Amino acid sequence: MTEEEFDAFYAGAFPRLVGQLYAMTGDLAEAQDVVQEAFVRAWDKRCALLAGEAPEAWVRTVAMRLAVSRWRRARRWLELVHHSPPPEPVPGPTPDHTALVEALRGLSEAQRTAVVLHHLCDLSVEQIARETNAPPGTVKARLSRGRDALAKQLADGSSPKVTGRRQGSHVG
């Protein structure tokens, strides 16, 4: 089959095949996809497809097999989803956590970085200094000023006070 013959075959057979596969799948987009994929495969074999040997039947068979294969894959996926336990619910942030995050947002970026790295990531002043390219004295000053600012923001009464320390952190 020449390219011109294939083009004419495609133009005539595509709408018919889509209609047939749509009736089988009940999904127009799925029918268009599988028929298009079948024509791509037919294009690769166009030299072997002879106009007198029912190339439309070949394309229809390939398209139906593709549709069944996709349906089986979708069914297996649904079975896996239904057999998997639902994920454990994740609790939302506590009022204390929300207040702390809000208070941290009120700090300068340098102070916030120092406080988070020291108190939440448990880095030493020296480690923070290396990571932020700041002298240890500057890190200590940022920690001190950041803690003072946090204490004022959390104690002003506009947000709940943080009453305990986070597990794995320390106040220093």
Side-chain angles (χ1 to χ4, degrees):
M1 184 180 291
T2 66
E3 289 184 26
E4 293 79 26
E5 290 172 330
F6 188 88
D7 289 344
F9 165 58
Y10 176 86
F14 184 82
R16 247 188 333 272
L17 290 170
V18 167
Q20 294 164 5
L21 270 291
Y22 177 47
M24 180 183 149
T25 63
D27 183 340
L28 181 60
E30 180 71 11
Q32 291 170 332
D33 285 349
V34 294
V35 171
Q36 186 65 39
E37 176 64 27
F39 269 106
V40 167
R41 293 180 185 192
W43 173 260
D44 292 339
K45 298 183 181 298
R46 71 185 178 283
C47 295
L49 289 174
L50 299 175
E53 293 185 11
E56 189 171 327
W58 186 89
V59 173
R60 181 177 29 260
T61 300
V62 170
M64 286 182 166
R65 288 178 180 163
L66 287 168
V68 168
S69 177
R70 287 181 177 195
W71 178 80
R72 285 180 180 153
R73 258 185 272 136
R75 191 179 79 195
R76 269 183 277 170
W77 182 82
L78 283 173
E79 287 172 357
L80 286 173
V81 168
H82 288 300
H83 287 40
S84 299
E88 291 293 323
V90 177
T94 64
D96 290 347
H97 178 83
T98 304
L100 178 60
V101 169
E102 216 33 58
L104 283 167
R105 286 182 182 153
L107 299 180
S108 71
E109 184 179 345
Q111 289 174 352
R112 183 173 53 246
T113 300
V115 169
V116 167
L117 290 176
H118 187 69
H119 294 288
L120 298 179
C121 299
D122 291 326
L123 296 184
S124 68
V125 170
E126 292 75 23
Q127 289 170 316
I128 297 169
R130 280 193 305 273
E131 199 165 306
T132 61
N133 295 320
T138 301
V139 172
K140 289 178 184 177
R142 289 175 181 167
L143 282 170
S144 176
R145 291 184 186 124
R147 283 190 292 253
D148 288 346
L150 279 176
K152 287 177 187 171
Q153 288 182 43
L154 293 172
D156 72 2
S158 64
S159 60
K161 292 184 180 180
V162 177
T163 56
R165 294 186 309 192
R166 294 182 135 238
Q167 186 176 9
S169 66
H170 62 280
V171 178

